[in-house]
Amino acid sequence: MSRKINVAIKRQYDQSSGSQWEKFSVDYEPGMNMTTVLQRIAAQPVTSEGKDSTPVAYDACCLEEVCGACSMLINGKVRQACSALVDNLLEDKPDQITLEPMSKFPVVRDLVVDRSFMYNALKKVRAWVPVDGYFDRGAGPKMSPHEQEDMYPLTTCMTCGCCVEACPQINERSNFIGPQAISQGVLFNEHPVGKFEEDERMEALAGAGGIADCGNAQNCVKVCPKNIPLTRSIAKAGKMATKHAFKRFFGS
Amino acid sequence: MAAETAEKQSFAVRHHFLLRRLHSLSGIVPVGVFLIMHLTVNASINVGADVFEENVERIHALGPLLIPVEIVGIFIPILFHALLGFQIWFSGQPNTGAYSYGGNFRYMLQRVTGGIAFVFILYHLWHMHWLGNSFGGGFFDHRPGAAASTAAEAMQMSIWAIPVSVLYAIGVIASVYHFSNGIWTSLITWGITVGPSSQRIAGYACAMFGIVLGLVGLSSVRGFAKFDANATTETASHADSVDSNETLETQAG
Ligand code: HEM
Ligand code: HEM
Ligand code: SF4
Ligand code: SF4
Ligand code: FES
């Protein structure tokens, strides 16, 4: 007889319906991750009590923790399903693994959420380099290897939502844009071409919902799967915002 | 998310950033600086009643200026900081259950100790400050010869001696934790400590500062709780048969 893994999943039919828990048992396979478990459930959507159910909806894409699509709450904590190894989870808590959709985003269905919040936040801080190129303007300004080393980690953000999910300052009562957008704003402010739009970015970062809403709990940096130095970006953004506010106050 | 136009946005929204920076600043100057001075002055009771009374006298030497200085320099900043502090508190959603990291606990404690400090200050003003006079409190008399003993008596009132001392100890610990951790976060807020190692070093420094200030504060609670009000007033007023309490009442009244 093969070993079974018990999985409890918080399910929700669509954005407007309520949620309920459903339990599944899946045959254990060595080296499984949580996405594999969800694949097995989708292949045979029968609950632990033997009732027929529907496949559990989930997002996944790269399966190697670079796209950020599969973030969810696993045993109550946010992380990627594709890099959550069943063996490790069972070591911590052998009887049951729980899966829930992230709580700070609207649920589309089951474990699939709508992460537009983060893309809108990126728009607010204009997290891009403005190039509208009809002409070839030649090579841009050079960056030192040191600057590149500082900036590279920030570029690895995959908009997965872990930091947003874990941040106590993001909830229905706040307008905080969150650590991911702050860090991206800092990245493009420090970019030799992105710099030209620093003032526009700072309007968002030094406005309502901007950097001032961070409460320095530093959960974001703890949960970021890419180990992005978010708290460093946050402190930098704090400094940039103070300078910006002074400039605006005395310059106009 | 608010789709209001700039003109329609409330004052708080338009000046969000400025208000938050003022909140941070007010926690250090003047409120934090006041806390340091206040706790050190109180601790001087351990050196001697006369030293404490000299220090109190130096503050009250401001005379008619004292009330405006108190209002503008202490009460308004604390009230501003506290009201915005409560608003910030309730705009957050603590989640230490799921994410039990040290930083997250400090975040939550920053809010809880702020709340405790607020309640303590209200009680404390009733208890010691003349503002409490009209509410049956205000047991402290700042005049030389009375300051040390009235403060001590206020701390030692019959069966309340232990509860009052415990309350003061809690007030000191909450305020000092809140201030020390607040210095640590304000260094990030203002972009002074940016990287993880500078934040770690700042953390040790703030913890050391907090421990020292906390001990100073607790020593003054102990100082007043143990101070023998009768002994000194008797020597000070050279009263031999008169009960020192009566002496004080005649002095104060
Ligand atoms: C260590 C124990 C403490 C003692 C013995 C003590 C004693 C006193 C006394 C005697 C006064 C009245 C001063 C006057 O009327 O001239 C006073 C005022 C005051 N105390 Fe305390 N206090 C203590 C701790 C604290 C703490 C922890 C705080 C928290 C921030 C605090 C905040 C205040 C405030 C805001 C005032 C009114 C402002 C002023 O009169 O200067 N005290 N305290
Ligand atoms: C005893 C007097 C007080 C002192 C010395 C003090 C000091 C400070 C300091 C230095 C900060 C750090 C600001 C920053 O991170 O930039 C702070 C933050 C804070 N204070 Fe106070 N405070 C006091 C009373 C209060 C009260 C009565 C409340 C009411 C709940 C409060 C609520 C807060 C909150 C919520 C924060 C966090 C702000 C944030 O995360 O941005 N404080 N305080
Ligand atoms: S900063 Fe880290 S946790 Fe946040 S969205 Fe980007 S990769 Fe995810
Ligand atoms: S440090 Fe700021 S952004 Fe990061 S989790 Fe805490 S409150 Fe949120
Ligand atoms: S599937 Fe891309 S991060 Fe998990």
Side-chain angles (χ1 to χ4, degrees), chain B residues 31 34-35 38-39 42-43 52 56 59-60 66 70 74-75 78 117 120-121 124-125 128-131 140-142 147 151 155 168-173 175-176 216-222 224:
Chain B
V31 181
F34 164 77
L35 187 65
H38 189 53
L39 293 182
N42 292 336
F52 172 72
V56 171
I59 298 167
H60 283 267
L66 184 63
E70 265 187 336
I74 305 171
F75 294 139
I78 290 188
F120 169 76
I121 292 168
H124 178 50
L125 289 181
M128 292 274 191
H129 198 266
W130 55 260
L131 283 170
F140 174 72
D141 180 345
H142 69 83
M155 297 280 274
Y168 269 78
I170 293 172
V172 166
I173 293 169
S175 310
V176 169
V216 168
L218 290 177
S219 80
S220 33
V221 177
R222 199 190 120 92
F224 284 108

Side-chain angles (χ1 to χ4, degrees), chain B residues 38-208:
Chain B
H38 189 53
L39 293 182
T40 24
V41 165
N42 292 336
S44 65
I45 187 67
N46 293 306
V47 187
D50 46 339
V51 181
F52 172 72
E53 293 190 344
E54 259 168 48
N55 285 326
V56 171
E57 197 47 23
R58 210 167 295 143
I59 298 167
H60 283 267
L62 282 170
L65 276 180
L66 184 63
I67 293 177
V69 166
E70 265 187 336
I71 292 176
V72 176
I74 305 171
F75 294 139
I76 292 179
I78 290 188
L79 208 59
F80 165 77
H81 181 91
L83 291 181
L84 200 52
F86 279 114
Q87 194 257 322
I88 295 167
W89 185 355
F90 297 123
S91 75
Q93 189 183 55
N95 55 8
T96 40
Y99 305 99
S100 46
Y101 310 127
N104 205 16
F105 279 110
R106 291 194 294 275
Y107 164 89
M108 200 191 63
L109 275 179
Q110 183 68 7
R111 278 132 188 87
V112 174
T113 53
I116 296 175
F118 186 72
V119 175
F120 169 76
I121 292 168
L122 286 183
Y123 160 76
H124 178 50
L125 289 181
W126 168 82
H127 187 226
M128 292 274 191
H129 198 266
W130 55 260
L131 283 170
N133 280 343
S134 15
F135 306 97
F139 299 115
F140 174 72
D141 180 345
H142 69 83
R143 283 171 297 184
S149 51
T150 47
E153 275 161 6
M155 297 280 274
Q156 300 172 12
M157 275 185 285
S158 63
I159 55 159
W160 296 105
I162 291 170
V164 168
S165 305
V166 170
L167 229 85
Y168 269 78
I170 293 172
V172 166
I173 293 169
S175 310
V176 169
Y177 172 86
H178 185 88
F179 180 36
S180 321
N181 192 56
I183 298 175
W184 183 77
T185 57
S186 71
L187 289 171
I188 302 170
T189 301
W190 294 88
I192 295 165
T193 50
V194 174
S197 62
S198 62
Q199 290 179 8
R200 199 174 328 108
I201 294 167
Y204 291 130
C206 290
M208 285 307 294

